[in-house]
Structures are given as C-alpha cells and as structure tokens.
Amino acid sequence: MRKADKVFEQKPSVDALLITSEKNRFYYTGFASTFGYLVMLKEKNYFITDSRYIEMAKILEKDAELIETTGGNAFGLVSDILKQNNVKTVGFEDTEITYSEYTGFCEKLVGFELVPVGDAILVQRRFKTDDEIEFITKAQKITDKAFKNILNFIKPDVTELDVAVELEYQMRKNGASGLAFDTIVASGQNGSKPHAHPTDKKIRLGDAVTMDFGARYNGYCSDMTRTVFCGKPNEEMRKIYEVVLRAQTNALKNIKCGMLCRDGDMLAREVIEANGYGAYFKHSLGHSLGIDVHELPSMSPSSQDYLQENIMMTVEPGIYIPFLGGVRIEDMVVVKQDRIIDLTMSEKNIIIL
C-alpha cells in the first residue's frame, strides 16, 4: 500500500486523510472497488467497505485495518476512527467530490476541521513509481499491437465505428483490462475535429483516418494517435502529414528534464507555424496520464510547470482544417533525468494502405 507522506508534508496541519474517490482509493491501495472509505493517518490506515469487497480486501490487511460496514453506517465508523485517534483536522479530496458531497461531509463529521488536500494528492500522483511506469508501458505495448493489427482491417467502405470496435477488440484480446478512454476514429473531413466521435461514415479512397485510442492495464492508461491513409492522399494532406511528423520529431528530439512545459509545446508549434499552419494547431502539445488519461502537468503554451523526472507525457501535435481533414501523431514518453524514453513503438512514417 502506498504511503501519503508527500501529502502530509505539503499539508502539515492535517492529522488524517479521508479518501473516498474510486481513483485515489486505488492509487493508495492498489485495490479496485466501487465503494469504500480509506482513512490514512501518519502511522496507521483503515479501510472501510461492505460485504461485496470485504473478502477480497483482505489483501490489504498487512497495511490497513479492515472494517465492514452495514446499513449505511460508514460515516459513523469514520467518525469513530477519527475520535479514537484524537484527530482534529481531516484532509479531503476537494478535487474529486461535488458540493453536495462536501456538505454531507460537514454534516456527518461534526467537530472536525475539513482541509482540502486534492491538489497535494494530484502532485504526488504526477511522479510515477517504477511499478506505475511498468503498468503504463504494458498498456502501451497492448495499444501498439492493436494498431499493427488494425492496418489490415482498414479499407474502403469500412465505417469509422467498425474501426473503433475492432481496435477495442484487439486491445482486449491482447490483455487490456479496459479502455483508457472512448476511442476516436475520424476519416476524411471528420478529421478536422480533434475529438471526433466515430460515426457510420464509410471510409473512402484517399481518406486520412485518424485513430486516437488507449488501453487500460492494471488500472493505468496508455494513449496514442496515428493517422494513416486509405489509398493515395492528395498533395495537401501529404504535406500536412509531413509537417506534423517534423513537428513531433523536433519535440521528441529536444524535450528534456527541467524544461518548462510551455517551451516543450513551442518545439512543435514553431515547426507548424513556420509552415503556415499555426492557426490549425488548436490544442496543447501534450498532457500527463496515469490512472486518469488526462493528468497534470500539460504541455500548453501557457503552462508554468516544469518537466520533471518520472512524469509521463504525451507528445501529440496536430493540424485540423475544416472541410479538408486533419492529422495527429501522438507518442507517450516518460521523462528521465538524462533522457526522454518514448514508449510508443508504432510506425509513424506515412502509411498508405
């Protein structure tokens, strides 16, 4: 079970953490559940859950005291734990709960000071452990396999939905526990929409087909994008592809640990702008990921964050022109002190099917 020392260091006035979100319960325990309350003290942990999970949760007994709740008395148990341990201030996940949930906390935890610690948890989650990097690497290998297999599937008259379903099947077949996010497939003019939903549009000869997809493995996400052509592309789309590839290559070659994220964004943006397409690169160069497919920091033009060791980052320049189409190429990297490791192995030189 993961410790919360970094959160307590950032929030020294906090005596205990109350973790109620599914994602952060998983982050600290490695145990997936749709219901539970994790109370973390500086020297002891408690995990409260119901009959659906109590037997499976025994894997946590070495690191946490397990308590089974029945009849909706979970908050009463939380309150008892806090009182028994002389807790005065309780850190809660303000970034994960609704206002209604917060008011419920206030009503049920009378006598305790509630302190927001959501940002401190997100800062801890930025920096991936070796195990987390291994899970993300495995998720990306699954995603790479799916891309390799989809190339024989794409042909004229196959629909975007067909491609999306096949990609998802291939990821599941190769070991994914689920999807990292809803699969994006956009062909032809639909490619001008960066986050297009797959439709029943049939792929035509000459179409660019952009696929943005990712697998989930042991709770962690991958994320990659490739654009391929179903038949020979027109000259403008070929040029756009080459510009996007050069932009990404420049970023991957020059991004380094300690760099401002906004400077990383500029490495790709300056190539696209120099070729006259600056107005059509409409999003940030990349984002971190882990348990969530979008985590901080992001490589945006306005970011004040730095690229630091063991942060994951996507590198995904794109050009999107209405009524013409679009191209995006996305790799996923891990930042190390002396280098950037690209975890995405799929071909990105232009592919014409």
Side-chain angles (χ1 to χ4, degrees), residues 3 26 32 61 80 150 212 245 254 260 281 300 302-303 318 346:
K3 295 183 181 296
F26 176 78
E61 284 182 321
D80 290 344
I150 202 66
D212 188 343
L245 181 57
N254 293 292
L260 272 168
F281 181 18
S300 73
S302 60
S303 176
S346 293

Side-chain angles (χ1 to χ4, degrees), residues 7-70:
V7 178
F8 286 119
E9 287 174 10
Q10 291 183 67
K11 303 287 183 177
S13 67
V14 169
D15 300 320
L17 304 180
L18 175 58
I19 307 298
T20 57
S21 72
E22 187 173 339
K23 64 182 69 172
N24 285 332
R25 281 200 314 273
F26 176 78
Y27 175 71
Y28 284 112
T29 67
F31 178 69
S33 60
T34 58
F35 174 81
Y37 295 81
L38 176 62
V39 180
M40 305 186 78
L41 307 176
K42 293 175 182 176
E43 301 297 334
K44 190 172 183 180
N45 304 305
Y46 298 82
F47 190 81
I48 301 168
T49 192
D50 61 19
S51 60
R52 295 171 295 172
Y53 294 105
I54 195 68
E55 184 176 351
M56 293 185 291
K58 288 181 180 179
I59 62 172
L60 304 178
E61 284 182 321
K62 180 171 66 74
D63 299 304
E65 182 177 331
L66 299 184
I67 303 174
E68 183 175 357
T69 178
T70 58

Side-chain angles (χ1 to χ4, degrees), residues 36 58 84 110 142 169 197 201-202 226 268 312 351:
K58 288 181 180 179
Q84 291 165 12
V110 176
I142 292 168
Y169 166 72
H197 301 293
K201 175 191 174 300
K202 293 181 179 180
R226 289 292 185 268
M312 306 298 304
I351 295 174

Side-chain angles (χ1 to χ4, degrees), residues 220-237:
Y220 286 82
C221 299
S222 63
D223 187 3
M224 71 170 278
T225 306
R226 289 292 185 268
T227 301
V228 302
F229 293 94
C230 181
K232 184 178 179 180
N234 63 45
E235 288 305 310
E236 173 112 20
M237 288 303 296

Side-chain angles (χ1 to χ4, degrees), residues 95 160 178 191 204 296:
T95 55
E160 294 170 347
R204 297 177 178 176
L296 293 174

Side-chain angles (χ1 to χ4, degrees), residues 87-322:
V87 169
K88 304 298 182 186
T89 58
V90 181
F92 72 98
E93 304 161 280
D94 56 302
T95 55
E96 303 297 335
I97 65 172
T98 65
Y99 180 73
S100 175
E101 289 170 325
Y102 170 70
T103 57
F105 284 12
C106 294
E107 292 170 1
K108 296 170 183 176
L109 296 176
V110 176
F112 302 100
E113 180 186 357
L114 297 178
V115 177
V117 297
D119 286 345
I121 293 172
L122 291 175
V123 167
Q124 182 180 6
R125 282 177 52 186
R126 287 186 185 201
F127 302 97
K128 303 302 188 278
T129 64
D130 290 344
D131 284 344
E132 288 179 297
I133 293 170
E134 182 180 342
F135 296 149
I136 295 168
T137 301
K138 176 62 175 177
Q140 183 53 45
K141 287 181 179 179
I142 292 168
T143 309
D144 280 324
K145 286 182 181 178
F147 176 71
K148 180 180 179 181
N149 292 337
I150 202 66
L151 296 179
N152 292 324
F153 183 84
I154 297 172
K155 56 180 64 70
D157 293 331
V158 169
T159 70
E160 294 170 347
L161 283 167
D162 291 334
V163 175
V165 169
E166 183 65 18
L167 278 169
E168 292 166 9
Y169 166 72
Q170 289 293 336
M171 287 188 285
R172 284 284 197 174
K173 182 180 179 181
N174 284 290
S177 56
L179 302 179
F181 54 92
D182 291 341
T183 300
I184 296 167
V185 178
S187 63
Q189 292 187 10
N190 285 346
S192 69
K193 308 161 190 171
H195 275 197
H197 301 293
T199 71
D200 59 3
K201 175 191 174 300
K202 293 181 179 180
I203 295 170
R204 297 177 178 176
L205 273 176
D207 276 356
V209 182
T210 296
M211 297 164 285
D212 188 343
F213 57 107
R216 189 176 289 274
Y217 179 80
N218 202 22
Y220 286 82
C221 299
S222 63
D223 187 3
M224 71 170 278
T225 306
R226 289 292 185 268
T227 301
V228 302
F229 293 94
C230 181
K232 184 178 179 180
N234 63 45
E235 288 305 310
E236 173 112 20
M237 288 303 296
R238 180 185 284 272
K239 178 184 177 184
I240 289 170
Y241 190 94
E242 291 170 352
V243 170
V244 172
L245 181 57
R246 289 203 302 272
Q248 196 209 38
T249 300
N250 191 53
L252 289 171
K253 182 179 178 180
N254 293 292
I255 287 171
K256 58 185 177 182
C257 188
M259 173 181 282
L260 272 168
C261 287
R262 66 186 184 195
D263 292 340
D265 176 273
M266 186 52 63
L267 289 169
R269 197 169 300 277
E270 63 187 8
V271 174
I272 293 174
E273 289 176 347
N275 284 275
Y277 292 106
Y280 302 104
F281 181 18
K282 303 175 181 179
H283 54 73
S284 301
L285 178 61
H287 56 86
S288 189
L289 75 169
I291 293 172
D292 288 323
V293 73
H294 288 98
E295 296 184 357
L296 293 174
S298 65
M299 277 198 294
S300 73
S302 60
S303 176
Q304 300 295 317
D305 287 313
Y306 288 87
L307 292 171
Q308 295 172 275
E309 187 168 25
N310 291 333
I311 284 178
M312 306 298 304
M313 189 62 64
T314 65
V315 182
E316 49 180 304
I319 295 173
Y320 315 93
I321 301 179

